[in-house]
Amino acid sequence: MAKKLIATGYGDPSDVLEVTDVDIPKPGKGEVVVEVRAAGLNPYDVKLVRGFLGAKPENLPLSPGAEAAGVVHAAGPGSEFKAGDEVVVYPASATLAEYVVSGEDRVHRKPAGLGFAEAASLLLAGVTAVDTLATLGVTGDDVVLVHGGAGAVGSIVVTEALAAGATVIATAAPRNHDHLRAQGAIPVPYGDGLTDAVREARGDQRITAVIDTVGTDEAIDVSLELVAPHRIVSIAAWGRVDDGIVVIDGSSEQSRHHRSAAVEPLLTDAASGRITVEIARRFGFTDAGAAFDELLGAHPRGKFVFEPR
Ligand SMILES: NC(=O)c1ccc[n+]([C@@H]2O[C@H](COP(=O)([O-])OP(=O)(O)OC[C@H]3O[C@@H](n4cnc5c(N)ncnc54)[C@H](OP(=O)(O)O)[C@@H]3O)[C@@H](O)[C@H]2O)c1
C-alpha cells in the first residue's frame, strides 16, 4: 500500500485534506509508475481544493498535485523507461502521493544536475512563463511591465525577458526588490500610486508589453493606462477578458504548442543554473494543510514543495 493526499470536500484545506492508503498503481502499456520524491505545489491546487474552480460533488474526492519528480518504479511493456530512471512528470495529476502513474508522453528525463525538489517545481510555472512571452512575441526592443515579478511564474518571465534583451519593470512587495534588482529588473511596489511608480521607472521609454501574473483589477487598470489591450497578456485576470486583454491558460492550440516546446529547454536551463528555482518551504503529508493555507496569501518567495518521505 502507499499513501496519497486527497481532499474529501471543498473548503479550507486544513479541514478537507486527508491522507489515504491506496494500492501502488501498476503501469499499463504506454504508462510509467513513478515513486515521487518531490511534487511542486501550485496556486492551482489550492484553488481546486477551495472550490474556486468549481465545486461539483461528483468530482470528490479530489487528488491535487499537477507536477512531480521521482524515480521510475515500473514501466509498461515496451517502454523507453526502466526502474530506477530519474524523471519529471508534467503535466500530471494526483502527484501529492508516494506513487503517481502517468502516460509516458508526460514523463521527461530529469537532468542529473537538477535536484528533485527543483525539478518538481519548475515546469508548471516555467511553461506558463514561456507561453506569456511567446504569445506577446517579446524581443530585445520591448519594455515589459511584469505584474508579480517575484512569483513562481513571474520570476521566470523576468529571467527570460531579460535574457531576450528587454527592459523589465516588475511589481513586487518591497521585500523582493533587492532580488529583482540583482536580476537586472527595475522593481516597483504594487498598491496605490502604481501608475506613477511605473512611469517613473520607465523614464523616457514607452511600455510596449505587459505580462500579468496577478489578475487584480489594479494590475489590469494600470496596464490599460500604459499600453493597448492586445499587448497585455494575463494568466489570472479572467474577469477582464472583455477589456480586450489576452488571457491564456494553455488550452489554445498556440499555447499548447508554446508550452510543450518549452519543457526540454526549461529542464536544461534549470540544470545549468540559467533558470533558478527557489524552494521556500518543504512539507509532507502531516503539514500539507498549513502549506495549502499559506500559498494563496502573502508568502515567502520561492516554491512550496511536497516531499512524501
Ligand atoms: N493561466 C495559467 O496558465 C496559469 C498557470 C500558472 C499559474 N496561474 C495563476 O497565476 C497566478 C500566479 O501563480 P504563481 O505560481 O506565480 O503564484 P505565486 O508564486 O504565489 O506568485 C504570486 C505573486 O503575486 C504577487 N502578488 C500578491 N498579491 C499581489 C497584489 N495585490 N498585487 C500585485 N502582486 C501581488 C506576489 O508578489 P510578492 O510576493 O512580491 O508580494 C507573488 O509574487 C496564480 O493565480 C495562478 O493560479 C495561471
Side-chain angles (χ1 to χ4, degrees):
M1 296 295 275
K3 288 200 195 88
K4 177 183 173 185
L5 195 73
I6 57 167
T8 52
Y10 296 97
D12 189 343
S14 298
D15 294 337
V16 298
L17 289 176
E18 249 179 45
V19 184
T20 185
D21 283 323
V22 293
D23 289 333
I24 298 176
K26 290 192 172 43
K29 191 168 166 43
E31 288 183 336
V32 175
V33 172
V34 175
E35 187 190 321
V36 174
R37 294 290 168 84
L41 186 69
N42 288 285
Y44 171 83
D45 301 307
V46 188
K47 292 177 185 178
L48 177 75
V49 168
R50 285 196 170 276
F52 296 170
L53 309 175
K56 292 187 179 156
E58 62 267 31
N59 290 342
L60 295 172
L62 305 169
S63 298
E67 56 184 333
V71 176
V72 172
H73 171 72
S79 174
E80 67 165 279
F81 294 97
K82 60 176 188 327
D85 286 350
E86 296 188 352
V87 295
V88 185
V89 191
Y90 178 79
S93 59
T95 59
L96 304 183
E98 287 183 309
Y99 292 89
V100 63
V101 62
S102 169
E104 194 167 311
D105 55 333
R106 294 164 175 220
V107 179
H108 319 278
R109 292 192 185 276
K110 182 182 79 59
L114 187 61
F116 285 107
E118 289 77 8
S121 305
L122 168 71
L123 289 178
L124 191 151
V127 301
T128 305
V130 171
D131 188 14
T132 63
L133 290 156
T135 299
L136 276 169
V138 167
T139 71
D141 295 330
D142 279 304
V143 179
V144 187
L145 172 62
V146 181
H147 293 286
V153 178
S155 296
I156 300 179
V157 169
V158 168
T159 301
E160 296 293 14
L162 289 167
T167 299
V168 176
I169 298 167
T171 72
R175 67 176 188 280
N176 290 321
H177 285 196
D178 284 348
H179 169 78
L180 284 164
R181 258 185 227 109
Q183 278 188 282
I186 305 165
V188 290
Y190 51 79
D192 287 348
L194 179 55
T195 309
D196 289 341
V198 173
R199 288 203 165 110
E200 193 181 326
R202 78 173 178 185
D204 296 336
Q205 305 178 91
R206 201 167 50 87
I207 303 288
T208 60
V210 175
I211 293 175
D212 164 51
T213 74
V214 176
T216 55
D217 283 336
E218 174 188 77
I220 302 307
D221 289 342
V222 166
S223 303
L224 288 167
E225 285 184 48
L226 297 162
V227 292
H230 73 279
R231 294 297 290 162
I232 302 171
V233 164
S234 176
I235 58 168
W238 294 100
R240 301 298 298 266
V241 174
D242 289 349
D243 289 276
I245 66 169
V246 183
V247 188
I248 57 172
D249 65 356
S251 58
S252 73
E253 196 178 327
Q254 176 181 260
S255 262
R256 273 202 303 278
H257 170 71
H258 291 154
R259 292 179 189 220
S260 61
V263 168
E264 294 303 329
L266 282 164
L267 288 167
T268 304
D269 287 343
S272 74
R274 196 181 78 73
I275 288 176
T276 311
V277 182
E278 276 186 88
I279 305 299
R281 193 181 191 303
R282 295 168 193 266
F283 67 98
F285 284 110
T286 50
D287 51 354
F292 270 68
D293 281 341
E294 202 181 336
L295 186 65
L296 276 199
H299 62 80
R301 194 180 65 245
K303 294 288 299 186
F304 286 23
V305 63
F306 166 81
E307 292 172 325
R309 289 162 212 275

